[in-house]
Amino acid sequence: MLEIKDITFTYIDQPVIKELSFVVQQGQNIVIIGESGCGKSTLLKLLYGLYDLDSGSISYKGNPILGPKYNLIPGEEYIKYLAQDFDLMPYITVEENIGKFLSNSYRDKKKARVNELLEMVEMTDYAKVKAKYLSGGQQQRVALARVLALEPQILLLDEPFSQIDSFRKNALRSNLFQYLKEKHISCIIATHDSTDALSFSDKTIVMQNGKIIVNESPQQVYNQPNSKYVASLFGEVTELNIEGEITFLYPHQIQINPQGALQAEVKNAYFRGSHYLIQAVSEHQIVYFEHTELLKKGETIRLSWL
């Protein structure tokens, strides 16, 4: 179990992490989501031991994880951290980068392990290519394979799919998280991507201004947002006062209804493939909803909600 207790960290004179606490059970996938600058990346660096805490503690199975004041080389053998800069060796091949920290004593075993990881990140065809010739997305996939080579107990990933093409990202995510569950590896991901936060997490942590404001199941975070900030992390959101209570609604929860209580004027329509996202205005309030047909700008409609 990874335990974070009341940690605080200040960068220069600005508090970045403020009295933050949570627990990660072995094999759990925890996603940390929030706006840029909320402290997600800093938190991962603290968990890895790159910075010293102002106060509080981080421990794994009862053993402290300490910063550079106590460790000449940051990190522990059982933790791997993938930063956003990838840190690949540009002049060696993909397979050499992945196998860099694997022992040469058992070459057949090393080769099999490298091939297994190449297949998982769909980079088998690039095994002999030097890293400097890869695209950003390809480098990111190689870096992901490399941090898994020694099979850590804890994996820290900072925006791990940010440069990967959408059509490849979905398959890679599925492969990765299936692998982590099979190996019972704890994973903590800092991301802006709501798919990471909802589809593959056991717990979703929402951060704002260096603090945890929500730590719940992805279903609860999405279906019962406690603020517009939380709801907006998962797409467009409409804030309505319904019978004296503030309610946050996603576009699929609002629909055209001739008998609807809300009158609105269409301002814009955005094609989303299977539907249009309609932006409308009702009493100076922006309203977003989905509709199967294109609506004309200036058209007056009535809306209801689910």
Side-chain angles (χ1 to χ4, degrees):
M1 181 175 72
L2 178 66
E3 192 170 8
I4 295 90
K5 283 187 177 180
D6 299 321
I7 63 171
T8 297
F9 173 74
T10 302
Y11 179 72
I12 304 178
D13 59 353
Q14 291 291 324
V16 181
I17 300 295
K18 307 169 186 176
E19 298 180 349
L20 189 150
S21 300
F22 63 99
V23 171
V24 182
Q25 301 295 338
Q26 195 63 42
Q28 269 193 321
N29 178 33
I30 306 295
V31 171
I32 302 170
I33 191 169
E35 63 187 348
S36 296
C38 70
K40 302 187 301 294
S41 295
T42 300
L43 175 57
L44 292 191
K45 292 174 182 178
L46 290 167
L47 297 179
Y48 189 59
L50 289 175
Y51 299 146
D52 292 302
L53 297 171
D54 295 346
S55 61
S57 65
I58 303 170
S59 62
Y60 179 62
K61 295 183 178 179
N63 299 312
I65 297 175
L66 303 172
K69 286 182 181 178
Y70 304 91
N71 290 325
L72 181 61
I73 300 175
E76 302 287 346
E77 288 185 358
Y78 53 83
I79 303 178
K80 296 300 177 189
Y81 167 57
L82 177 58
Q84 294 187 46
D85 60 6
F86 311 151
D87 193 32
L88 297 178
M89 300 293 290
Y91 297 105
I92 63 175
T93 66
V94 166
E95 62 181 2
E96 288 170 338
N97 266 286
I98 294 174
K100 181 180 177 183
F101 300 110
L102 295 175
S103 172
N104 289 316
S105 299
Y106 304 96
R107 291 187 177 274
D108 290 343
K109 187 176 180 181
K110 177 178 179 177
K111 184 177 181 180
R113 178 63 175 157
V114 170
N115 288 339
E116 177 189 15
L117 292 168
L118 281 169
E119 185 175 350
M120 188 186 74
V121 299
E122 298 181 349
M123 287 293 291
T124 302
D125 293 342
Y126 296 87
K128 304 295 184 183
V129 178
K130 291 183 179 179
K132 68 175 183 176
Y133 296 121
L134 301 177
S135 68
Q138 289 170 334
Q139 289 184 19
Q140 193 164 35
R141 284 148 60 194
V142 174
L144 185 57
R146 191 178 68 170
V147 294
L148 287 170
L150 288 173
E151 203 168 286
Q153 296 178 48
I154 300 173
L155 183 62
L156 308 174
L157 303 176
D158 195 353
E159 300 286 357
F161 311 111
S162 60
Q163 297 195 37
I164 298 172
D165 297 331
S166 296
F167 76 94
R168 196 179 298 276
K169 185 186 299 185
N170 292 332
L172 179 59
R173 275 192 289 221
S174 297
N175 291 343
L176 172 64
F177 292 117
Q178 181 180 345
Y179 177 87
L180 296 178
K181 283 298 182 184
E182 289 174 353
K183 301 295 184 179
H184 214 53
I185 296 171
S186 301
C187 183
I188 304 173
I189 303 174
T191 184
H192 288 91
D193 192 329
S194 60
T195 302
D196 296 336
L198 297 176
S199 301
F200 300 100
S201 65
D202 297 305
K203 287 280 188 177
T204 297
I205 291 175
V206 180
M207 287 187 65
Q208 186 177 31
N209 298 325
K211 293 184 176 182
I212 291 176
I213 60 173
V214 180
N215 181 5
E216 299 289 349
S217 70
Q219 293 86 355
Q220 185 165 346
V221 174
Y222 181 82
N223 291 323
Q224 301 175 31
N226 60 10
S227 69
K228 189 171 184 179
Y229 170 77
V230 173
S232 66
L233 295 173
F234 304 103
E236 294 84 2
V237 62
T238 298
E239 179 181 345
L240 293 179
N241 188 325
I242 301 175
E243 297 180 354
E245 183 177 340
I246 298 298
T247 302
F248 305 104
L249 299 171
Y250 300 108
H252 71 272
Q253 296 175 306
I254 301 175
Q255 59 190 13
I256 290 181
N257 182 350
Q259 309 304 318
L262 194 68
Q263 180 173 301
E265 180 183 337
V266 175
K267 290 298 182 182
N268 290 293
Y270 306 97
F271 183 56
R272 293 288 179 89
S274 62
H275 63 274
Y276 288 89
L277 175 68
I278 309 297
Q279 181 190 57
V281 174
S282 175
E283 298 179 354
H284 307 292
Q285 169 70 49
I286 299 294
V287 179
Y288 293 98
F289 65 96
E290 295 177 358
H291 195 59
T292 55
E293 298 177 3
L294 177 64
L295 300 179
K296 294 181 180 180
K297 184 175 181 180
E299 184 175 348
T300 299
I301 52 174
R302 299 198 73 86
L303 300 169
S304 61
W305 46 88
L306 304 177

